[in-house]
Amino acid sequence: GTGYAYSNLGIDLAGYILQTVSGQPFAQYVEEKLLLPIGMVNSSFDMAQIQVNPNRAIGHSSPLPEVPLEVPMIPAGGLYTSANDMARFIQFHLNQGSAAGQTVLSPALLDEMYTVPPPVEGSPEGYALGVARTQWHRGREAVIFSHGGGGFGFLSDMWWLPELKIGIVVLTNATDHNLQGELALNILNDFVHDPTSVYYERLMALPRRTVVRDGDGRYRPPIGLAQA
């Protein structure tokens, strides 16, 4: 409990434990317990299901002439999804773990996910359990969460502000660009800074907080932790 290490293999191990304990393949368990209850009907970790989907996007990454379909990082990566489905995922977060009026994940577990772990436990800025946490500096300080990733010809980027009830997701089926981070934040900025928008009203209604330094969305290992 003294420190937290970012590890894709750690997430893969957690998924293996989940399917061992549940007695179900990981892809099936997640579909039944998370994706379908949220309404993410065009999302799957099941490669056999993904292969036969005629609307599946093809990833592009130069100089590779063809990007492999199967992502060898499940569950750390490898979810094929759509922008509409990821918007539902963000709504699930904005609704404190609920979808269509039903609780999918308890607010207490979401709070645990959003809390920065040791050695800076409870810090207002840092890397929590799978999400980066910092503040949105626009005259007030709104808490903003984010996570992004890329590989195998795809990039993803999502940000959400629970207090403002707004979030954004950007998905691309190419990796040769600089859209990650900048495009999503610029769009958020336009929405939140429109004086006629409800998001601007919500931002201005927030109490002032002690400003934390801007995070870069990256995990920073505890001092002394060996670097791979």
Side-chain angles (χ1 to χ4, degrees):
T2 60
Y4 171 82
Y6 187 110
S7 172
N8 285 329
L9 291 177
I11 299 299
D12 292 342
L13 177 59
Y16 176 75
I17 293 171
L18 177 65
Q19 72 175 11
T20 300
V21 172
S22 68
Q24 293 180 282
F26 175 79
Q28 179 185 349
Y29 184 91
V30 172
E31 181 178 31
E32 293 179 2
K33 300 296 185 180
L34 181 67
L35 300 179
L36 292 182
I38 290 176
M40 298 176 67
V41 296
N42 292 311
S43 304
S44 181
F45 283 101
D46 186 340
M47 288 300 161
Q49 181 176 329
I50 294 163
Q51 285 178 330
V52 298
N53 186 341
N55 294 320
R56 172 176 58 85
I58 305 298
H60 299 273
S61 181
S62 63
L64 297 177
E66 184 175 348
V67 178
L69 165 68
E70 296 195 26
V71 177
M73 294 167 55
I74 295 176
L79 175 71
Y80 276 77
T81 186
S82 68
N84 283 339
D85 272 18
M86 287 306 298
R88 293 186 179 94
F89 183 71
I90 288 181
Q91 288 173 335
F92 155 77
H93 279 275
L94 296 179
N95 291 328
Q96 296 183 299
S98 295
Q102 300 295 317
T103 298
V104 180
L105 189 67
S106 74
L109 288 176
L110 273 184
D111 286 342
E112 184 177 351
M113 183 188 302
Y114 296 158
T115 301
V116 177
V120 288
E121 187 171 9
S123 171
E125 189 280 325
Y127 198 85
L129 300 182
V131 294
R133 176 187 184 122
T134 188
Q135 288 179 359
W136 181 257
H137 299 277
R138 296 296 182 270
R140 292 290 193 273
E141 285 71 47
V143 177
I144 185 169
F145 297 102
S146 64
H147 187 77
F152 302 90
F154 296 93
L155 282 175
S156 61
D157 204 17
M158 60 179 179
W159 303 74
W160 67 99
L161 299 96
E163 295 162 307
L164 306 188
K165 295 294 184 181
I166 187 174
I168 186 169
V169 58
V170 172
L171 306 177
T172 71
N173 63 330
T175 59
D176 306 311
H177 58 73
N178 296 316
L179 298 179
Q180 195 170 29
E182 292 187 12
L183 177 61
L185 285 177
N186 285 340
I187 294 173
L188 270 182
N189 184 70
D190 288 343
F191 271 99
V192 173
H193 278 82
D194 180 353
T196 65
S197 77
V198 65
Y199 309 111
Y200 180 83
E201 293 178 4
R202 291 170 183 170
L203 180 67
M204 291 299 103
L206 291 177
R208 291 194 177 274
R209 298 187 175 108
T210 301
V211 178
V212 303
R213 65 185 178 84
D214 282 314
D216 56 11
R218 296 182 180 275
Y219 159 74
R220 287 181 293 280
I223 296 174
L225 183 69
Q227 296 295 294

